[in-house]
Amino acid sequence: MAAKWTHNPISQKLGSPVAMSKPTAFAWEGDKTQHVVYVGTDGNIHELWFRKGGMNPQWQYGGALNVKSNAPTATGTPSGFTWESDKTQHIVYRGSDSEIHELWFKHGMMGKAEWTYGGALNKKVGAPSAAGDPFGYTWDDDHSMHVIYRGVDNNIHEVWFNKGMGGGDWKYGGPINHICGGPIAVGEPSGFSWEHDKTQHIIYRGQDNNVHELWFKHGMMGKAVWTYGGALSAKAGAPVAVSDPMGFAWEADKTQHVIYRGMDNQTHELWFNKGLMGKGEWKYGGAISANLGAPPADGMPWGFAWEHDHTMHIVYRGNDSNVHELWFNKGMTGGSWKYGAALNRMANAPVASSDPVGFAWEDDHSQHVVYRGQDNQIHELWFKK
């Protein structure tokens, strides 16, 4: 029987509060769980989670996490991620006080666990307040986690944590773009690590509407600095951006990718392969949606790799409010992009009022797309071969 997309109205099933924000969603591979986090109309951070296995696996409502841990209320969209080497999960968000707050979770010795408030990270390290939502990610090769955000000065600021021998503490990486000569930002940055290359990358839209890159690699003697990678879209001959860009690595393909919505409302791709001699340059992958006859976009596209399936995927909200998918399988002959249709229509799910987010759950051999519907409920679309 052919695999198909399936719809699950998670928040409605569980009776959890309706959503005000776009959700964040991710898999915690080490815990065999998946998680969806969003800001409710009450300003609290709410969690929905699912554990694989057992006799009757089902979604659970984790409650208002900030209330449980005595943390402030939120504004905007939270960012959630796991730190696999530390066996923890983390949520960072902009509070109503414009500071960057952290909630984190780790299983205890006897199986007991609870969410902990990690404080206002930027205030801990003397960094500026936030003008936008933060974005968090881990760099497993470096045993570190990173939170980036646009400050009130419109520079890209970084706070980072390396556990080390003594437990570690948060550090301020500075206004990175200013340090390395990059322009100030418009909108929110995204960041990711490229484990194959032992590098980390930050992507953002500048005032010129080009897509700009900041990247970091440890040097031979331990010395390391952030480097400004330039205006990637201009370098590659690609159109300027109207949405925030989003970057990710495809480890199986040894490539990194950046996607964004252009002023033509098409979904555009930039990609990079280091090459045989260790050098490479950014290339323009084209207006993927236009090339495939897919609908124009309304909002910011989201991209991710499904390593088990040797594929990469882009999901976005179209101008028809449906959730559309573009996907790529390299195959024996190099591969090409394909249009996967309107996923919510395939699964008989409602249209979207927020941008979707997607992720692969490698342990479960599945992929998932989560969004806020026009009913302000959190909806999941999932696919398993």
Side-chain angles (χ1 to χ4, degrees):
M1 185 176 180
K4 63 178 183 179
W5 285 90
T6 301
H7 170 230
N8 190 0
I10 315 173
S11 59
Q12 186 177 28
K13 273 187 176 179
L14 297 174
S16 60
V18 296
M20 180 174 65
S21 76
K22 164 184 171 179
T24 183
F26 55 94
W28 187 3
E29 301 292 351
D31 194 47
K32 299 184 186 301
T33 52
Q34 58 172 318
H35 302 261
V36 175
V37 179
Y38 65 95
V39 177
T41 51
D42 56 3
N44 289 315
I45 301 281
H46 297 276
E47 179 200 30
L48 313 169
W49 66 277
F50 180 98
R51 172 167 278 118
K52 183 184 174 183
M55 296 295 294
N56 185 28
Q58 56 186 324
W59 281 92
Q60 308 283 335
Y61 173 46
L65 304 186
N66 61 301
V67 174
K68 285 184 173 182
S69 54
N70 296 314
T73 55
T75 187
T77 299
S79 176
F81 60 98
T82 62
W83 189 6
E84 298 294 347
S85 64
D86 192 48
K87 299 180 181 178
T88 51
Q89 60 171 317
H90 302 261
I91 296 166
V92 290
Y93 65 95
R94 179 165 52 109
S96 48
D97 56 2
S98 293
E99 311 297 349
I100 302 297
H101 298 275
E102 179 204 26
L103 306 170
W104 65 276
F105 179 100
K106 185 168 188 171
H107 290 292
M109 295 294 291
M110 302 299 292
K112 185 179 179 182
E114 58 184 20
W115 283 91
T116 301
Y117 176 42
L121 302 185
N122 62 303
K123 291 185 75 173
K124 280 185 174 183
V125 297
S129 298
D133 296 330
F135 191 96
Y137 62 97
T138 59
W139 185 7
D140 285 326
D141 184 74
D142 190 53
H143 304 290
S144 57
M145 62 176 171
H146 304 259
V147 176
I148 56 173
Y149 66 96
R150 180 172 57 93
V152 290
D153 57 1
N154 288 322
N155 284 308
I156 304 294
H157 297 272
E158 177 203 29
V159 293
W160 64 280
F161 184 101
N162 187 307
K163 197 165 187 181
M165 297 297 291
D169 53 20
W170 285 95
K171 300 177 180 67
Y172 178 38
I176 307 174
N177 62 301
H178 180 72
I179 290 170
C180 61
I184 60 175
V186 174
E188 320 310 346
S190 73
F192 62 96
S193 61
W194 186 10
E195 302 295 348
H196 167 75
D197 193 47
K198 300 184 178 180
T199 52
Q200 60 170 322
H201 302 260
I202 295 171
I203 307 295
Y204 68 97
R205 181 165 54 106
Q207 281 188 321
D208 57 1
N209 288 321
N210 277 303
V211 175
H212 297 268
E213 178 200 31
L214 311 168
W215 66 276
F216 180 101
K217 185 167 188 171
H218 290 293
M220 294 296 291
M221 303 300 292
K223 185 179 179 182
V225 293
W226 281 94
T227 300
Y228 173 47
L232 303 187
S233 48
K235 277 184 175 182
V240 295
V242 72
S243 79
D244 293 332
M246 193 263 183
F248 63 97
W250 187 7
E251 299 292 351
D253 191 49
K254 300 178 182 177
T255 53
Q256 56 174 321
H257 302 261
V258 174
I259 56 170
Y260 63 94
R261 178 169 60 98
M263 290 187 173
D264 55 1
N265 291 325
Q266 301 295 338
T267 298
H268 298 269
E269 178 203 27
L270 306 168
W271 67 278
F272 182 99
N273 185 311
K274 205 166 185 183
L276 291 173
M277 302 301 292
K279 292 184 178 181
E281 59 183 18
W282 283 92
K283 300 177 182 69
Y284 176 41
I288 308 172
S289 52
N291 292 342
L292 297 173
D298 182 9
M300 172 186 167
W302 186 274
F304 62 97
W306 186 5
E307 303 291 354
H308 170 79
D309 194 48
H310 303 290
T311 53
M312 62 175 170
H313 302 259
I314 297 171
V315 291
Y316 67 93
R317 179 166 48 106
N319 57 4
D320 57 1
S321 294
N322 286 308
V323 176
H324 297 274
E325 179 200 29
L326 312 169
W327 67 279
F328 185 102
N329 186 316
K330 193 167 187 181
M332 297 298 290
T333 58
S336 60
W337 282 98
K338 299 176 179 65
Y339 173 43
L343 303 187
N344 60 302
R345 292 183 67 182
M346 290 176 67
N348 295 316
V351 294
S353 64
S354 81
D355 294 332
V357 296
F359 65 95
W361 188 3
E362 302 293 351
D363 181 74
D364 190 51
H365 300 171
S366 57
Q367 60 171 318
H368 303 259
V369 175
V370 181
Y371 64 95
R372 177 168 58 96
Q374 290 187 345
D375 55 2
N376 290 324
Q377 301 288 347
I378 300 297
H379 297 271
E380 178 201 27
L381 306 170
W382 64 276
F383 178 97
K384 187 170 182 175
K385 286 190 172 179

